[in-house]
Amino acid sequence: MKTGIVVKTTGSWHTVKVGNERINCRLKGNFRTRNMTNTNPVAVGDHVIIESDSDKTGTIIKINDRQNYIIRKSTNLSKENQILAANIDQALLMFTLDFPETPLEFIDRFLITAEAYHIRTILLINKSDLYSSIQLKRLEEVTEIYEYAGYTVISTSITKNLNLDTVMGHLQDKLTLISGNSGVGKSSLINHLCPGLNLKTNEISRANQSGKHTTTYPEMVELNNTTFVIDSPGIRGFGLTDLNRNEIGLFFTDIFKLSRDCQFYNCTHIHEPNCAVIAACRTGLLHESRYRSYYNIYNDTDQKYRMG
Ligand code: GDP
Ligand code: ZN
């Protein structure tokens, strides 16, 4: 028996990394019944116990409990979810202020789902080489908004090799989910950090991959022996299903901190008197974009504030 980590899964074969060895494994037959709502019982990132057979293949006999996992919601009527990755240490959300523009509410929605899953997120603002002086001011402002909320924000240019060492420093020794809209530079980043890999980086092929009927599986990319990233076509969130509106304020890290000074312990920060969040918004301590996202998500229907 050996313990390993699943680095790739394609249908019935799963590649398990045991030390420096990669072993192709099948799953022991009786796993399928355990979780009927998932199409795939084993996911990239799973820690598994295998028995290896003589011919360099093996059998997965146990999947260890998952610290966390992300799912892709089914797009058909079968209501089956696909587990895309498990045991993520952190997420790296890449976005751009232009080419393409990313609405801050998209970022805020991503962040609260990550918070709800206790997954730390690092924000990476890419393509800084393309920004005008006005956009660079905006970059500073956006950086301040998210640093105030407690996040690490790194602005990068992949073409100009700007701050990519800093990014690597944050990835070291962790399994990181790399997320972000199509076209922001995810493949370019991974290619830079792992030159032999050569992921396709043209927008058209990437756009196809994030389409609804995608059949691509996420693969763990090994940057070094202890550092892995998962490129995640089609993932926009963490499959959050049951966040209720009264919990949203807990996951806006800045609003949560401010809310300790609200008069009412169960203040919704919408209409109550002596609300510290609204006060902070008036003085500019809390940026209005964060409050606006909170307000919009709070007022959304259940359906809309689900990600993915
Ligand atoms: P993905 O869809 O997030 O994987 O994005 P890609 O890595 O495919 O990048 C989309 C396009 O943006 C490609 O044409 C890249 O060459 C370009 N790109 C990526 N990063 C940068 C950057 O920092 N600066 C500039 N100017 N272009 C970039
Ligand atoms: Zn309040």
Side-chain angles (χ1 to χ4, degrees), residues 15-304:
T15 310
V16 178
K17 184 175 186 286
V18 180
N20 283 330
E21 213 182 342
R22 281 162 191 259
I23 303 173
N24 277 326
C25 296
R26 285 183 182 277
L27 200 57
K28 207 175 161 186
N30 60 5
F31 267 99
R32 289 228 155 246
T33 47
R34 266 189 18 178
N35 190 346
M36 294 299 283
T37 57
N38 295 317
T39 50
N40 58 325
V42 59
V44 167
D46 267 332
H47 296 269
V48 295
I49 296 173
I50 65 165
E51 269 169 359
S52 48
D53 310 335
S54 51
D55 56 343
K56 292 223 163 195
T57 60
T59 307
I60 296 173
I61 57 169
K62 184 171 189 290
I63 302 171
N64 291 343
D65 287 345
R66 295 175 176 129
Q67 226 177 74
N68 57 46
Y69 59 89
I70 46 167
I71 59 174
R72 175 157 56 203
K73 290 267 175 56
S74 66
T75 49
N76 56 31
L77 294 173
S78 70
K79 297 225 165 70
E80 285 185 327
N81 292 320
Q82 189 192 6
I83 301 178
L84 288 180
N87 303 317
I88 309 284
D89 292 312
Q90 61 182 3
L92 181 80
L93 179 61
M94 272 183 96
F95 63 101
T96 43
L97 299 179
D98 207 348
F99 322 105
E101 187 183 344
T102 309
L104 296 189
E105 194 173 320
F106 167 85
I107 294 157
D108 296 332
R109 283 173 188 266
F110 183 95
L111 290 176
I112 61 165
T113 62
E115 292 295 335
Y117 273 53
H118 307 290
I119 294 173
R120 200 177 99 92
T121 305
I122 295 165
L123 295 172
L124 194 157
I125 311 177
N126 193 32
K127 304 200 186 181
S128 61
D129 58 292
L130 297 179
Y131 300 156
S132 66
S133 57
I134 292 168
Q135 286 169 326
L136 288 173
K137 279 236 162 67
R138 174 83 177 137
L139 189 146
E140 262 173 48
E141 186 186 34
V142 171
T143 302
E144 276 169 23
I145 293 171
Y146 291 100
E147 283 182 345
Y148 176 72
Y151 295 100
T152 297
V153 186
I154 308 168
S155 63
T156 57
S157 162
I158 292 161
T159 42
K160 293 262 155 65
N161 196 353
L162 205 76
N163 291 336
L164 299 179
D165 289 347
T166 310
V167 175
M168 187 58 201
H170 284 280
L171 301 182
Q172 186 64 40
D173 299 333
K174 294 194 170 75
L175 168 58
T176 306
L177 173 79
I178 298 192
S179 221
N181 282 332
S182 187
V184 299
K186 297 182 295 300
S187 315
S188 306
L189 175 71
I190 295 170
N191 282 337
H192 178 91
L193 299 174
C194 189
L197 193 70
N198 265 324
L199 289 178
K200 278 190 194 150
T201 58
N202 73 72
E203 268 122 314
I204 294 158
S205 80
R206 301 290 298 166
N208 286 342
Q209 281 187 26
S210 64
K212 286 207 162 168
H213 298 289
T214 174
T215 52
T216 54
Y217 289 88
E219 185 170 354
M220 214 191 272
V221 174
E222 185 177 342
L223 302 183
N224 60 46
N225 226 352
T226 52
T227 308
F228 303 89
V229 296
I230 295 175
D231 179 25
S232 53
I235 299 178
R236 281 176 295 146
F238 299 94
L240 197 67
T241 49
D242 46 12
L243 185 61
N244 84 50
R245 57 155 50 176
N246 295 316
E247 292 176 307
I248 295 165
L250 307 176
F251 302 128
F252 272 83
T253 45
D254 39 10
I255 289 177
F256 177 66
K257 245 187 279 166
L258 291 164
S259 69
R260 290 182 196 141
D261 294 327
C262 296
Q263 184 180 344
F264 300 104
Y265 80 96
N266 57 352
C267 184
T268 64
H269 326 303
I270 303 284
H271 55 76
E272 292 85 346
N274 300 321
C275 169
V277 173
I278 294 173
C281 208
R282 291 222 171 92
T283 61
L285 188 60
L286 178 69
H287 197 276
E288 59 157 347
S289 80
R290 288 284 283 174
Y291 185 76
R292 202 182 312 122
S293 293
Y294 171 78
Y295 186 90
N296 288 345
I297 296 168
Y298 186 89
N299 286 308
D300 259 355
T301 63
D302 282 351
Q303 277 304 325
K304 273 162 78 191

